[in-house]
Amino acid sequence: SSAVSGPLQGSLTVQCRYEPGWETYHKWWCQGAKWSDCHILVQTDGSEQEVKGDRVSIKDNWKSRTFTVTMEDLRWNSADTYWCGIEKSGTDLGVDVKVTIDP
């Protein structure tokens, strides 16, 4: 679990690390306090192509085994619990990230 903050109307970047062997799996960024019913905001297609959502983007880097999430135009209600997730058969893997907005 980790925490990151960004300025109101600004942007923040989160780096999510993963183990070797997970490179081609779908990665995603999910919003909501509970892992079991969080809302996926943006998801990779299993490649290193950047995927853009609404004020959020995700990009995987296989060599460094990190995927980077960028949130832009931060609002007060952007402050929440988010999850770095990897889609796998059975149960998805995830780690929570607390996002706060700087006054």
Side-chain angles (χ1 to χ4, degrees), residues 1-54:
S1 156
S2 59
V4 62
S5 67
L8 189 63
Q9 296 181 323
S11 65
L12 62 79
T13 299
V14 178
Q15 296 216 313
C16 308
R17 297 183 172 279
Y18 55 88
E19 298 294 315
W22 294 103
E23 287 83 355
T24 59
Y25 286 72
H26 291 207
K27 318 298 191 307
W28 40 262
W29 180 245
C30 203
Q31 180 177 8
K34 278 178 62 185
W35 164 243
S36 54
D37 58 5
C38 66
H39 171 65
I40 293 179
L41 299 176
V42 67
Q43 176 174 324
T44 71
D45 61 1
S47 74
E48 293 185 289
Q49 196 74 35
E50 182 178 35
V51 178
K52 289 183 181 294
D54 179 31

Side-chain angles (χ1 to χ4, degrees), residues 27-103:
K27 318 298 191 307
W28 40 262
W29 180 245
C30 203
Q31 180 177 8
K34 278 178 62 185
W35 164 243
S36 54
D37 58 5
C38 66
H39 171 65
I40 293 179
L41 299 176
V42 67
Q43 176 174 324
T44 71
D45 61 1
S47 74
E48 293 185 289
Q49 196 74 35
E50 182 178 35
V51 178
K52 289 183 181 294
D54 179 31
R55 298 185 296 121
V56 60
S57 63
I58 189 169
K59 190 177 192 316
D60 202 355
N61 183 321
W62 295 347
K63 191 174 178 186
S64 65
R65 291 196 306 276
T66 58
F67 58 99
T68 302
V69 175
T70 303
M71 294 175 62
E72 296 170 339
D73 186 22
L74 295 167
R75 300 169 187 182
W76 289 120
N77 64 3
S78 302
D80 205 345
T81 299
Y82 295 82
W83 301 83
C84 295
I86 299 181
E87 185 178 59
K88 73 181 189 68
S89 56
T91 320
D92 290 352
L93 299 171
V95 60
D96 67 306
V97 179
K98 298 273 191 290
V99 171
T100 55
I101 303 305
D102 297 331

